[in-house]
Amino acid sequence: RVPATLKVELSGTLPAQVSAKDIMLFLLGQIGCDGAIAKVLEFSGSIIDKMPMDERMTLANMAIECGAMCGLIAPDAVTADYIRCHGALADNALPEEPLVSDRDAVYERVYRFDLSHLEPQVARPPKPDQVVPVSQVGEVAITRAFIGSCTGGKLYDLAQAAEVLKGRRVHPNVSLFVVPASQQVRQQAQALGYLDSLEAAGAQILKSGCGACINAGMGVLGREEVGIYATNRNFKGRSGDPSGHNYLASPRVVAISAVQGKISDRFDEGWE
């Protein structure tokens, strides 16, 4: 059976401090964890065209959080450059015809969003679709912060966190854990100085892997603890003790929150 396709067209100019994780959380808030069950999510639009591959991967990966079988983005020059840089595409191996949807393709539904004024988003426990703009979260103190997993530990994600944390210190009440998504990402982040910036701020750099995202290793929530994670899911007991409270956000928001000691996307008040 060929699954139906839902098309998501993203237009406008994405605010500088908003990332693909924010977009995906926003979409989850709009259609819910069951909004694309047994369907395909196809992402397109001017915002997608400008997105680096790491950010596109976040959208495609987290399509499953809406219940989708997969997330698709039509390949373009960004795709070809990425594959070529990873040694999997020869210069003469590009298809002559672009691999895009047919002009007469039938979509079950088309969602259109102008994201020019999108705020950073936060998913409240206990589901990834319990999403609000960060400005509506309120005062939520945290003790754990985690930057890692397949959607939060890519090189682009670590660059965001390192930029935020450079010259700052993690709040004394917070433990920040960083897990590069792969050994290659770890080596690149080390060479670019990202890991040095993160460690200088007080983050603990852990071995690559799923880690706290699957309730394994350091960074998991203890009893009644509150944490903010750049992972995929925040179901009860997903990343630690079932009595804990796991909020989801972008690596940038997680890093800022780790410094502030509470969920936040800015440094205009509190601990620095």
Side-chain angles (χ1 to χ4, degrees):
R1 182 171 66 89
V2 177
T5 299
L6 305 177
K7 190 172 187 179
V8 181
E9 295 182 356
L10 306 174
S11 64
T13 301
L14 198 66
Q17 307 306 326
V18 174
S19 68
K21 186 60 169 285
D22 298 303
I23 295 174
M24 198 62 223
L25 291 178
F26 169 77
L27 183 61
L28 275 160
Q30 296 297 307
I31 72 174
C33 288
D34 58 356
I37 289 179
K39 297 178 175 61
V40 171
L41 279 180
E42 180 180 330
F43 300 93
S44 65
S46 58
I47 285 179
I48 297 294
D49 295 340
K50 299 174 184 177
M51 230 178 228
M53 184 57 68
D54 273 7
E55 289 285 80
R56 296 180 184 191
M57 286 180 176
T58 295
L59 297 181
N61 189 314
M62 287 193 67
I64 186 61
E65 308 308 333
C66 300
M69 298 178 71
C70 69
L72 297 177
I73 296 172
D76 57 9
V78 173
T79 315
D81 286 345
Y82 179 87
I83 297 174
R84 186 180 293 110
C85 287
H86 286 73
L89 182 66
D91 289 338
N92 59 357
L94 288 172
E96 294 184 3
E97 296 294 328
L99 298 171
V100 298
S101 297
D102 298 334
R103 291 184 178 181
D104 59 351
V106 176
Y107 298 98
E108 183 174 286
R109 182 168 179 179
V110 178
Y111 294 94
R112 294 183 174 90
F113 300 110
D114 184 331
L115 303 182
S116 300
H117 302 290
L118 185 68
E119 284 185 55
Q121 305 284 296
V122 175
R124 299 174 294 187
K127 293 176 62 182
D129 61 3
Q130 304 300 297
V131 178
V132 294
V134 66
S135 61
Q136 296 180 22
V137 172
E139 289 285 319
V140 179
I142 62 170
T143 54
R144 285 281 189 271
F146 185 91
I147 297 170
S149 84
C150 48
T151 62
K154 301 183 298 302
L155 189 63
Y156 186 92
D157 303 320
L158 300 184
Q160 281 192 314
E163 180 182 7
V164 165
L165 291 174
K166 190 171 185 178
R168 294 186 168 95
R169 289 287 299 174
V170 172
H171 195 283
N173 295 338
V174 177
S175 295
L176 171 62
F177 303 90
V178 176
V179 178
S182 69
Q183 288 295 332
Q184 184 182 55
V185 168
R186 185 189 189 96
Q187 292 166 3
Q188 292 173 325
Q190 185 72 67
L192 292 167
Y194 300 158
L195 298 190
D196 290 339
S197 294
L198 294 168
E199 288 184 304
Q204 297 184 54
I205 312 297
L206 306 180
K207 292 182 178 180
S208 297
C210 291
C213 185
I214 59 167
N215 197 11
M218 299 177 68
V220 299
L221 291 169
R223 184 170 180 79
E224 301 294 339
E225 276 196 299
V226 178
I228 185 164
Y229 289 63
T231 54
N232 306 37
R233 303 165 190 170
N234 61 342
F235 300 114
K236 186 176 180 179
R238 168 75 184 184
S239 297
D241 193 283
S243 67
H245 304 280
N246 180 3
Y247 291 76
L248 301 180
S250 70
R252 175 181 174 273
V253 170
V254 172
I256 293 174
S257 300
V259 172
Q260 294 287 72
K262 62 180 181 181
I263 296 177
S264 177
D265 71 325
R266 59 190 62 197
F267 290 116
D268 57 359
E269 57 182 321
W271 171 271
E272 283 199 43

